[in-house]
Amino acid sequence: MIKRRRFLQASVLVPLSFSVPGRAKPRVVIVGGGFGGATAAGYIKKLAPSAEVSLVEPARAFITCPFSNLVVAGKRDINTITFDYTGLQAAGVRHIATSARSIDPKGRLIYLESNSAPLACDFLVLSPGIELVYDSIEGTGVRTPMELPHAWKAGYQTLRLRSQLEDMKQGGVFVIAAPDNPYRCPPGPYERASLVAEYFKRHNPRAKIIIVDAKDNFTKKALFQEGWNERYPGMIDWVPVSQTGTLRRVDEDKVFYTDFDEFPADVGNLIPPQRAGAIVTESGLDGGRGWCEVDPGNFESTLASNVYILGDAVNAAPMPKSAFSANNQAKVCAASIAARINGTPPLETFMMNTCYSLIGEDYGISISGVYKTANERLVAVPDSEDTSPLGADKAFRQAEAKYTHDWYRAITADTFIANKTLSHEAGA
Ligand code: FAD
Protein backbone atom coordinates (compact mmCIF):
# COMPACT_ATOMS: atom_id res chain seq x y z
CA MET A 1 0.00 0.00 0.00
CA ILE A 2 2.70 2.46 1.06
CA LYS A 3 4.83 1.47 -1.92
CA ARG A 4 1.95 2.17 -4.29
CA ARG A 5 1.40 5.59 -2.74
CA ARG A 6 5.07 6.44 -3.20
CA PHE A 7 4.71 5.59 -6.86
CA LEU A 8 1.67 7.83 -7.22
CA GLN A 9 3.41 10.66 -5.43
CA ALA A 10 6.51 10.38 -7.54
CA SER A 11 4.46 10.44 -10.70
CA VAL A 12 3.61 14.10 -10.12
CA LEU A 13 7.18 15.04 -10.83
CA VAL A 14 7.87 12.83 -13.81
CA PRO A 15 7.80 14.91 -16.98
CA LEU A 16 6.32 13.35 -20.10
CA SER A 17 9.12 12.52 -22.52
CA PHE A 18 8.89 14.28 -25.83
CA SER A 19 11.14 15.29 -28.70
CA VAL A 20 10.99 18.98 -29.53
CA PRO A 21 12.36 20.10 -32.90
CA GLY A 22 12.40 23.87 -33.53
CA ARG A 23 9.36 25.39 -35.32
CA ALA A 24 7.83 28.78 -36.10
CA LYS A 25 6.19 30.57 -33.17
CA PRO A 26 2.69 29.29 -32.47
CA ARG A 27 0.81 31.35 -29.89
CA VAL A 28 -0.73 29.65 -26.86
CA VAL A 29 -2.84 31.62 -24.38
CA ILE A 30 -3.85 30.12 -21.05
CA VAL A 31 -6.56 31.73 -18.95
CA GLY A 32 -6.29 30.98 -15.22
CA GLY A 33 -3.05 30.50 -13.29
CA GLY A 34 -4.13 27.88 -10.74
CA PHE A 35 -3.31 24.17 -10.73
CA GLY A 36 -4.59 23.46 -14.25
CA GLY A 37 -3.48 26.64 -16.00
CA ALA A 38 -0.05 27.12 -14.40
CA THR A 39 0.86 23.46 -15.01
CA ALA A 40 -0.28 23.69 -18.64
CA ALA A 41 1.75 26.88 -19.18
CA GLY A 42 4.96 25.38 -17.81
CA TYR A 43 4.62 22.06 -19.60
CA ILE A 44 3.66 23.54 -22.98
CA LYS A 45 6.71 25.80 -22.82
CA LYS A 46 8.85 22.83 -21.81
CA LEU A 47 7.52 20.44 -24.47
CA ALA A 48 7.24 22.98 -27.30
CA PRO A 49 9.88 25.65 -26.57
CA SER A 50 9.17 27.36 -29.89
CA ALA A 51 5.68 28.33 -28.69
CA GLU A 52 4.91 31.78 -27.33
CA VAL A 53 3.08 30.96 -24.10
CA SER A 54 1.05 33.64 -22.26
CA LEU A 55 -0.71 33.11 -18.95
CA VAL A 56 -3.64 35.45 -18.22
CA GLU A 57 -4.18 35.54 -14.47
CA PRO A 58 -5.06 38.67 -12.44
CA ALA A 59 -3.26 37.64 -9.23
CA ARG A 60 0.46 38.31 -8.80
CA ALA A 61 0.62 35.19 -6.64
CA PHE A 62 -1.65 32.18 -6.24
CA ILE A 63 -2.89 30.98 -2.86
CA THR A 64 -3.58 27.25 -2.92
CA CYS A 65 -6.79 25.69 -1.64
CA PRO A 66 -4.84 22.54 -0.76
CA PHE A 67 -3.52 23.13 2.78
CA SER A 68 -5.82 26.15 3.23
CA ASN A 69 -7.72 24.09 5.84
CA LEU A 70 -4.48 24.12 7.84
CA VAL A 71 -4.60 27.93 7.68
CA VAL A 72 -8.28 27.93 8.75
CA ALA A 73 -7.25 25.75 11.71
CA GLY A 74 -4.35 28.05 12.64
CA LYS A 75 -1.59 25.55 11.82
CA ARG A 76 0.01 27.41 8.93
CA ASP A 77 0.62 30.95 7.85
CA ILE A 78 -1.03 31.86 4.54
CA ASN A 79 2.37 32.87 3.12
CA THR A 80 3.43 29.23 3.20
CA ILE A 81 0.66 28.35 0.70
CA THR A 82 1.28 31.33 -1.62
CA PHE A 83 3.21 30.94 -4.89
CA ASP A 84 4.21 33.65 -7.34
CA TYR A 85 4.79 33.20 -11.06
CA THR A 86 8.51 34.02 -11.16
CA GLY A 87 9.45 30.36 -11.69
CA LEU A 88 7.17 30.14 -14.72
CA GLN A 89 8.39 33.51 -16.00
CA ALA A 90 12.00 32.35 -15.73
CA ALA A 91 11.00 29.31 -17.80
CA GLY A 92 9.77 31.61 -20.57
CA VAL A 93 6.05 31.99 -19.80
CA ARG A 94 4.67 35.52 -20.14
CA HIS A 95 2.40 36.39 -17.19
CA ILE A 96 -0.28 38.91 -18.17
CA ALA A 97 -1.55 40.12 -14.81
CA THR A 98 -5.16 40.88 -15.63
CA SER A 99 -8.50 39.06 -16.03
CA ALA A 100 -10.00 37.82 -19.25
CA ARG A 101 -13.24 39.82 -19.55
CA SER A 102 -14.66 37.59 -22.29
CA ILE A 103 -13.54 35.21 -25.01
CA ASP A 104 -14.56 34.41 -28.55
CA PRO A 105 -13.96 30.65 -28.69
CA LYS A 106 -14.42 30.33 -32.47
CA GLY A 107 -12.00 33.16 -33.28
CA ARG A 108 -9.79 32.24 -30.30
CA LEU A 109 -9.76 35.85 -29.14
CA ILE A 110 -9.35 36.88 -25.51
CA TYR A 111 -10.64 40.28 -24.41
CA LEU A 112 -8.71 41.53 -21.38
CA GLU A 113 -9.92 43.78 -18.55
CA SER A 114 -6.81 45.92 -18.95
CA ASN A 115 -6.83 46.36 -22.71
CA SER A 116 -9.36 46.95 -25.46
CA ALA A 117 -7.40 45.10 -28.17
CA PRO A 118 -8.03 41.33 -27.91
CA LEU A 119 -5.26 38.76 -27.69
CA ALA A 120 -5.31 36.27 -30.56
CA CYS A 121 -3.89 32.75 -30.36
CA ASP A 122 -3.58 29.41 -32.13
CA PHE A 123 -4.35 27.36 -29.02
CA LEU A 124 -6.52 28.58 -26.15
CA VAL A 125 -6.42 26.78 -22.79
CA LEU A 126 -8.99 27.65 -20.12
CA SER A 127 -8.66 26.63 -16.47
CA PRO A 128 -10.76 29.18 -14.57
CA GLY A 129 -11.80 26.97 -11.65
CA ILE A 130 -15.27 27.42 -10.17
CA GLU A 131 -17.98 29.97 -9.59
CA LEU A 132 -19.98 29.79 -6.35
CA VAL A 133 -23.74 29.72 -6.92
CA TYR A 134 -25.98 30.99 -4.13
CA ASP A 135 -29.25 31.25 -6.15
CA SER A 136 -30.94 28.23 -4.57
CA ILE A 137 -30.47 29.50 -0.98
CA GLU A 138 -32.88 32.18 0.19
CA GLY A 139 -31.49 35.00 2.32
CA THR A 140 -28.12 35.07 0.58
CA GLY A 141 -26.73 38.22 -1.03
CA VAL A 142 -23.59 40.22 -1.54
CA ARG A 143 -22.73 40.14 2.17
CA THR A 144 -23.10 36.37 2.54
CA PRO A 145 -19.45 35.52 1.75
CA MET A 146 -18.41 38.01 4.48
CA GLU A 147 -20.85 36.76 7.09
CA LEU A 148 -20.78 33.06 6.29
CA PRO A 149 -17.41 32.72 4.52
CA HIS A 150 -17.15 29.85 2.06
CA ALA A 151 -13.33 29.76 2.14
CA TRP A 152 -13.63 27.65 -1.03
CA LYS A 153 -11.29 29.96 -2.95
CA ALA A 154 -8.19 30.47 -0.87
CA GLY A 155 -7.08 33.95 0.21
CA TYR A 156 -9.08 36.59 2.02
CA GLN A 157 -11.95 34.13 2.59
CA THR A 158 -9.58 31.67 4.31
CA LEU A 159 -8.36 34.37 6.72
CA ARG A 160 -11.88 35.61 7.37
CA LEU A 161 -13.08 32.15 8.43
CA ARG A 162 -9.94 31.73 10.53
CA SER A 163 -10.51 34.96 12.43
CA GLN A 164 -14.19 34.13 13.05
CA LEU A 165 -13.17 30.77 14.54
CA GLU A 166 -10.58 32.46 16.77
CA ASP A 167 -13.23 34.91 18.00
CA MET A 168 -15.91 32.24 18.54
CA LYS A 169 -17.25 32.11 22.11
CA GLN A 170 -16.34 29.15 24.34
CA GLY A 171 -18.77 26.30 23.78
CA GLY A 172 -20.01 27.86 20.52
CA VAL A 173 -21.30 26.05 17.42
CA PHE A 174 -19.52 25.96 14.05
CA VAL A 175 -21.89 24.98 11.21
CA ILE A 176 -20.48 23.80 7.86
CA ALA A 177 -22.99 23.54 4.99
CA ALA A 178 -21.55 21.01 2.49
CA PRO A 179 -22.84 21.01 -1.10
CA ASP A 180 -24.14 18.19 -3.27
CA ASN A 181 -21.91 16.59 -5.92
CA PRO A 182 -20.20 17.60 -8.12
CA TYR A 183 -18.08 20.22 -6.37
CA ARG A 184 -14.44 21.23 -5.86
CA CYS A 185 -12.55 18.88 -3.53
CA PRO A 186 -15.02 16.20 -2.38
CA PRO A 187 -13.21 15.49 0.96
CA GLY A 188 -12.60 19.22 1.68
CA PRO A 189 -15.54 19.93 4.04
CA TYR A 190 -14.75 16.86 6.16
CA GLU A 191 -11.03 17.63 6.33
CA ARG A 192 -11.99 21.14 7.43
CA ALA A 193 -14.25 19.78 10.18
CA SER A 194 -11.40 17.50 11.34
CA LEU A 195 -8.70 20.17 11.51
CA VAL A 196 -11.00 22.71 13.15
CA ALA A 197 -11.92 20.01 15.71
CA GLU A 198 -8.22 19.58 16.43
CA TYR A 199 -7.96 23.34 17.01
CA PHE A 200 -11.11 23.38 19.21
CA LYS A 201 -9.85 20.44 21.26
CA ARG A 202 -7.02 22.63 22.47
CA HIS A 203 -8.58 26.10 22.50
CA ASN A 204 -12.36 25.66 22.79
CA PRO A 205 -12.98 22.12 24.11
CA ARG A 206 -16.76 22.50 24.61
CA ALA A 207 -17.33 23.73 21.03
CA LYS A 208 -19.43 21.71 18.57
CA ILE A 209 -19.16 21.25 14.81
CA ILE A 210 -22.28 20.43 12.78
CA ILE A 211 -21.98 19.44 9.11
CA VAL A 212 -25.30 20.07 7.36
CA ASP A 213 -24.85 17.95 4.26
CA ALA A 214 -26.68 18.04 0.92
CA LYS A 215 -25.66 14.37 0.49
CA ASP A 216 -26.22 11.03 2.18
CA ASN A 217 -22.68 9.88 1.65
CA PHE A 218 -19.24 11.35 1.18
CA THR A 219 -15.80 10.21 0.12
CA LYS A 220 -13.74 8.34 2.74
CA LYS A 221 -16.76 8.56 5.10
CA ALA A 222 -15.91 5.47 7.17
CA LEU A 223 -12.30 6.65 7.53
CA PHE A 224 -13.30 10.16 8.57
CA GLN A 225 -15.85 8.85 11.07
CA GLU A 226 -13.33 6.41 12.52
CA GLY A 227 -10.87 9.30 12.95
CA TRP A 228 -13.50 11.59 14.51
CA ASN A 229 -14.52 8.92 17.06
CA GLU A 230 -10.91 8.30 17.94
CA ARG A 231 -9.70 11.91 18.12
CA TYR A 232 -12.75 14.12 18.71
CA PRO A 233 -15.50 11.99 20.29
CA GLY A 234 -18.84 13.83 20.49
CA MET A 235 -17.52 17.02 18.85
CA ILE A 236 -18.58 16.56 15.20
CA ASP A 237 -22.20 15.87 14.15
CA TRP A 238 -22.75 14.94 10.50
CA VAL A 239 -26.38 15.49 9.40
CA PRO A 240 -27.22 13.90 6.01
CA VAL A 241 -29.83 15.26 3.63
CA SER A 242 -32.17 12.28 4.18
CA GLN A 243 -32.41 13.30 7.84
CA THR A 244 -32.67 17.08 7.58
CA GLY A 245 -33.70 17.84 3.98
CA THR A 246 -32.25 20.50 1.72
CA LEU A 247 -30.71 23.78 2.91
CA ARG A 248 -33.34 26.37 1.94
CA ARG A 249 -32.46 29.57 3.73
CA VAL A 250 -30.00 31.42 5.94
CA ASP A 251 -30.63 34.62 7.90
CA GLU A 252 -28.61 37.48 9.33
CA ASP A 253 -28.48 35.74 12.74
CA LYS A 254 -26.50 32.91 11.13
CA VAL A 255 -29.30 30.38 11.31
CA PHE A 256 -29.26 27.66 8.62
CA TYR A 257 -32.80 26.48 7.74
CA THR A 258 -33.27 23.08 6.09
CA ASP A 259 -36.60 21.43 5.20
CA PHE A 260 -36.95 19.95 8.71
CA ASP A 261 -34.48 21.73 11.03
CA GLU A 262 -32.92 25.00 12.10
CA PHE A 263 -29.18 25.16 12.88
CA PRO A 264 -28.13 28.36 14.69
CA ALA A 265 -24.40 28.99 14.24
CA ASP A 266 -21.87 31.10 16.09
CA VAL A 267 -19.63 30.71 13.07
CA GLY A 268 -21.12 29.59 9.75
CA ASN A 269 -19.25 28.19 6.75
CA LEU A 270 -21.67 28.16 3.81
CA ILE A 271 -20.09 26.21 0.92
CA PRO A 272 -22.67 26.73 -1.82
CA PRO A 273 -23.28 24.71 -5.02
CA GLN A 274 -20.80 25.40 -7.81
CA ARG A 275 -20.36 25.54 -11.55
CA ALA A 276 -17.50 26.20 -13.97
CA GLY A 277 -15.83 29.63 -13.79
CA ALA A 278 -17.83 32.45 -15.39
CA ILE A 279 -15.48 32.91 -18.35
CA VAL A 280 -16.49 29.52 -19.79
CA THR A 281 -20.20 29.57 -18.88
CA GLU A 282 -20.64 33.09 -20.26
CA SER A 283 -19.08 32.04 -23.56
CA GLY A 284 -21.38 29.01 -23.80
CA LEU A 285 -18.56 26.47 -23.54
CA ASP A 286 -20.49 24.56 -20.86
CA GLY A 287 -23.39 23.99 -23.26
CA GLY A 288 -25.68 25.41 -20.55
CA ARG A 289 -24.92 22.48 -18.20
CA GLY A 290 -22.67 24.25 -15.68
CA TRP A 291 -19.58 22.08 -16.46
CA CYS A 292 -17.72 21.71 -19.76
CA GLU A 293 -17.54 18.58 -21.87
CA VAL A 294 -14.14 17.76 -23.36
CA ASP A 295 -12.40 15.00 -25.28
CA PRO A 296 -10.77 13.15 -22.35
CA GLY A 297 -7.83 12.14 -24.55
CA ASN A 298 -6.56 15.71 -24.80
CA PHE A 299 -9.08 18.03 -23.00
CA GLU A 300 -10.12 19.82 -26.18
CA SER A 301 -13.62 21.27 -25.87
CA THR A 302 -16.33 19.30 -27.66
CA LEU A 303 -17.80 22.67 -28.69
CA ALA A 304 -14.77 24.58 -30.06
CA SER A 305 -11.68 23.29 -31.81
CA ASN A 306 -8.24 24.33 -30.55
CA VAL A 307 -9.89 25.40 -27.29
CA TYR A 308 -8.91 23.24 -24.30
CA ILE A 309 -10.54 23.25 -20.87
CA LEU A 310 -9.03 21.82 -17.69
CA GLY A 311 -9.50 21.28 -14.01
CA ASP A 312 -12.58 21.95 -11.93
CA ALA A 313 -14.42 23.59 -14.86
CA VAL A 314 -14.64 20.25 -16.68
CA ASN A 315 -16.91 17.26 -16.28
CA ALA A 316 -14.11 14.70 -15.98
CA ALA A 317 -16.00 12.16 -13.86
CA PRO A 318 -14.96 9.70 -12.49
CA MET A 319 -11.92 11.91 -11.77
CA PRO A 320 -12.72 14.18 -8.82
CA LYS A 321 -12.28 17.94 -8.97
CA SER A 322 -8.88 18.17 -7.32
CA ALA A 323 -5.56 19.93 -7.75
CA PHE A 324 -3.96 16.55 -8.47
CA SER A 325 -6.51 15.92 -11.26
CA ALA A 326 -6.09 19.43 -12.71
CA ASN A 327 -2.31 19.02 -12.74
CA ASN A 328 -2.53 15.62 -14.49
CA GLN A 329 -5.10 16.86 -17.00
CA ALA A 330 -2.87 19.83 -17.78
CA LYS A 331 0.03 17.53 -18.64
CA VAL A 332 -2.14 15.48 -20.99
CA CYS A 333 -3.38 18.67 -22.63
CA ALA A 334 0.16 20.11 -22.84
CA ALA A 335 1.48 16.93 -24.45
CA SER A 336 -1.32 17.03 -27.02
CA ILE A 337 -0.80 20.69 -27.92
CA ALA A 338 2.97 20.18 -28.06
CA ALA A 339 2.50 17.17 -30.37
CA ARG A 340 0.44 19.31 -32.71
CA ILE A 341 3.01 22.10 -32.63
CA ASN A 342 5.92 19.72 -33.08
CA GLY A 343 4.19 17.57 -35.68
CA THR A 344 4.65 14.41 -33.66
CA PRO A 345 1.96 11.74 -33.08
CA PRO A 346 -0.21 12.16 -29.98
CA LEU A 347 0.62 9.98 -26.99
CA GLU A 348 -1.69 7.48 -25.40
CA THR A 349 -2.18 8.81 -21.91
CA PHE A 350 -3.48 7.83 -18.53
CA MET A 351 -4.06 9.99 -15.51
CA MET A 352 -4.14 9.53 -11.80
CA ASN A 353 -5.38 11.17 -8.67
CA THR A 354 -4.80 10.85 -4.97
CA CYS A 355 -6.85 12.92 -2.53
CA TYR A 356 -5.01 13.06 0.76
CA SER A 357 -6.86 14.43 3.78
CA LEU A 358 -5.64 15.29 7.25
CA ILE A 359 -7.84 14.27 10.17
CA GLY A 360 -5.16 15.69 12.47
CA GLU A 361 -1.71 17.13 11.96
CA ASP A 362 -0.20 13.63 12.25
CA TYR A 363 -3.19 11.65 10.96
CA GLY A 364 -3.52 11.25 7.17
CA ILE A 365 -5.90 9.23 4.98
CA SER A 366 -6.18 8.95 1.21
CA ILE A 367 -8.13 7.72 -1.80
CA SER A 368 -6.50 7.05 -5.18
CA GLY A 369 -7.43 6.06 -8.70
CA VAL A 370 -5.92 5.72 -12.19
CA TYR A 371 -7.93 6.80 -15.23
CA LYS A 372 -7.76 6.24 -18.97
CA THR A 373 -9.83 6.93 -22.07
CA ALA A 374 -12.04 4.14 -23.41
CA ASN A 375 -14.62 4.68 -26.16
CA GLU A 376 -14.12 8.45 -25.90
CA ARG A 377 -15.00 8.42 -22.22
CA LEU A 378 -12.86 8.68 -19.13
CA VAL A 379 -12.97 5.50 -17.03
CA ALA A 380 -11.24 4.27 -13.91
CA VAL A 381 -8.68 1.55 -14.63
CA PRO A 382 -10.14 -1.65 -13.07
CA ASP A 383 -8.90 -2.28 -9.51
CA SER A 384 -6.96 0.99 -9.46
CA GLU A 385 -9.22 2.76 -6.98
CA ASP A 386 -8.36 2.31 -3.33
CA THR A 387 -8.53 4.04 0.05
CA SER A 388 -6.46 3.78 3.20
CA PRO A 389 -7.49 0.81 5.32
CA LEU A 390 -9.85 1.14 8.27
CA GLY A 391 -8.36 0.27 11.64
CA ALA A 392 -4.76 1.10 10.67
CA ASP A 393 -2.31 1.83 13.46
CA LYS A 394 -0.85 5.18 14.50
CA ALA A 395 2.36 4.70 12.49
CA PHE A 396 0.37 4.13 9.31
CA ARG A 397 -1.70 7.31 9.80
CA GLN A 398 1.47 9.26 10.61
CA ALA A 399 3.12 7.97 7.45
CA GLU A 400 0.12 9.11 5.38
CA ALA A 401 0.25 12.54 7.03
CA LYS A 402 3.89 12.74 5.97
CA TYR A 403 2.96 11.72 2.40
CA THR A 404 0.33 14.48 2.41
CA HIS A 405 3.06 17.04 3.09
CA ASP A 406 5.41 15.43 0.56
CA TRP A 407 2.62 15.49 -2.04
CA TYR A 408 1.95 19.18 -1.39
CA ARG A 409 5.61 20.06 -1.78
CA ALA A 410 5.86 18.01 -5.01
CA ILE A 411 2.71 19.33 -6.67
CA THR A 412 3.37 22.99 -5.92
CA ALA A 413 6.97 22.66 -7.15
CA ASP A 414 5.70 20.99 -10.32
CA THR A 415 2.87 23.45 -10.95
CA PHE A 416 4.56 26.76 -10.15
CA ILE A 417 8.20 25.71 -10.75
CA ALA A 418 8.74 26.81 -7.17
CA ASN A 419 10.71 25.58 -4.22
CA LYS A 420 9.31 26.47 -0.83
CA THR A 421 10.60 23.44 0.99
CA LEU A 422 12.08 25.29 3.93
CA SER A 423 9.18 27.59 4.74
CA HIS A 424 6.66 24.76 4.31
CA GLU A 425 8.58 22.45 6.59
CA ALA A 426 8.78 25.19 9.18
CA GLY A 427 4.96 25.62 9.02
CA ALA A 428 3.22 28.51 10.76
P1 FAD B 1 -7.86 26.99 -9.68
O1 FAD B 1 -6.68 26.30 -9.12
O2 FAD B 1 -8.84 27.57 -8.73
O3 FAD B 1 -7.37 28.12 -10.65
C1 FAD B 1 -8.27 28.95 -11.32
C2 FAD B 1 -7.57 30.27 -11.61
O4 FAD B 1 -8.26 30.92 -12.68
C3 FAD B 1 -7.58 31.26 -10.45
O5 FAD B 1 -6.25 31.67 -10.17
C4 FAD B 1 -8.42 32.44 -10.95
O6 FAD B 1 -7.92 33.70 -10.50
C5 FAD B 1 -8.26 32.30 -12.46
N1 FAD B 1 -9.35 32.89 -13.24
C6 FAD B 1 -10.68 32.66 -13.14
N2 FAD B 1 -11.36 33.41 -14.05
C7 FAD B 1 -10.42 34.10 -14.74
C8 FAD B 1 -10.49 35.05 -15.79
N3 FAD B 1 -11.66 35.44 -16.30
N4 FAD B 1 -9.35 35.59 -16.26
C9 FAD B 1 -8.14 35.22 -15.75
N5 FAD B 1 -8.02 34.32 -14.74
C10 FAD B 1 -9.14 33.77 -14.24
N6 FAD B 1 -7.09 19.33 -4.31
C11 FAD B 1 -6.16 18.35 -4.12
O7 FAD B 1 -5.73 17.69 -5.08
N7 FAD B 1 -5.69 18.07 -2.87
C12 FAD B 1 -6.10 18.75 -1.77
O8 FAD B 1 -5.63 18.47 -0.66
C13 FAD B 1 -7.06 19.77 -1.96
N8 FAD B 1 -7.50 20.47 -0.89
C14 FAD B 1 -8.46 21.43 -1.06
C15 FAD B 1 -8.95 22.07 0.07
C16 FAD B 1 -9.95 23.02 -0.05
C17 FAD B 1 -10.49 23.70 1.15
C18 FAD B 1 -10.47 23.33 -1.34
C19 FAD B 1 -11.54 24.37 -1.49
C20 FAD B 1 -9.97 22.70 -2.48
C21 FAD B 1 -8.97 21.73 -2.34
N9 FAD B 1 -8.48 21.04 -3.45
C22 FAD B 1 -7.55 20.04 -3.27
C23 FAD B 1 -9.06 21.25 -4.80
C24 FAD B 1 -8.20 22.17 -5.68
O9 FAD B 1 -7.96 23.41 -5.04
C25 FAD B 1 -8.89 22.44 -7.02
O10 FAD B 1 -9.43 21.24 -7.51
C26 FAD B 1 -7.89 23.02 -8.01
O11 FAD B 1 -7.45 24.29 -7.54
C27 FAD B 1 -8.50 23.13 -9.40
O12 FAD B 1 -7.61 23.75 -10.31
P2 FAD B 1 -8.16 24.74 -11.45
O13 FAD B 1 -7.00 25.11 -12.28
O14 FAD B 1 -9.35 24.14 -12.07
O15 FAD B 1 -8.69 25.99 -10.63
Side-chain angles (χ1 to χ4, degrees), residues 30-39 55-59 61-70 72 85 96-103 110-113 126-130 150-154 158 183-189 191-192 220 271 274 277-280 282 310-314 320-327 329-330 353-358 404 407-408 411 415-416:
I30 295 134
V31 175
F35 281 98
T39 306
L55 178 64
V56 178
E57 161 63 56
F62 182 79
I63 303 173
T64 68
C65 282
F67 276 28
S68 65
N69 282 334
L70 285 167
V72 167
Y85 295 104
I96 303 176
T98 189
S99 287
R101 183 164 28 94
S102 62
I103 51 172
I110 303 99
Y111 295 87
L112 302 177
E113 287 292 354
L126 304 164
S127 192
I130 52 159
H150 51 77
W152 224 239
K153 293 186 182 187
T158 312
Y183 65 98
R184 159 176 286 185
C185 194
E191 180 189 68
R192 178 169 291 171
K220 296 182 274 193
I271 307 166
Q274 295 153 32
I279 194 78
V280 291
E282 285 168 10
L310 305 172
D312 289 354
V314 163
K321 296 187 188 299
S322 72
F324 199 133
S325 297
N327 171 277
Q329 294 164 4
N353 176 67
T354 300
C355 283
Y356 290 101
S357 302
L358 292 168
T404 308
W407 167 81
Y408 183 78
I411 198 156
T415 301
F416 300 102

Side-chain angles (χ1 to χ4, degrees), residues 121-176:
C121 62
D122 304 298
F123 299 95
L124 174 58
V125 181
L126 304 164
S127 192
I130 52 159
E131 188 182 3
L132 299 153
V133 186
Y134 289 93
D135 309 351
S136 63
I137 307 162
E138 210 186 304
T140 54
V142 282
R143 289 200 54 77
T144 306
M146 296 293 288
E147 284 149 11
L148 303 170
H150 51 77
W152 224 239
K153 293 186 182 187
Y156 175 74
Q157 278 281 312
T158 312
L159 297 175
R160 175 113 189 132
L161 185 57
R162 169 72 199 142
S163 72
Q164 290 188 359
L165 287 167
E166 274 177 306
D167 294 343
M168 193 172 98
K169 71 177 189 203
Q170 287 296 308
V173 177
F174 175 40
V175 174
I176 302 174

Side-chain angles (χ1 to χ4, degrees), residues 128 149 164 255 381:
Q164 290 188 359
V255 183
V381 170

Side-chain angles (χ1 to χ4, degrees), residues 3 29 45 47 64 91 145 158 188 227 259 268 273 303 345-346 376-377 394 396 399:
K3 270 190 194 144
V29 173
K45 191 66 197 167
L47 299 175
T64 68
T158 312
D259 288 319
L303 300 179
E376 295 174 10
R377 291 176 61 86
K394 199 172 162 194
F396 194 97

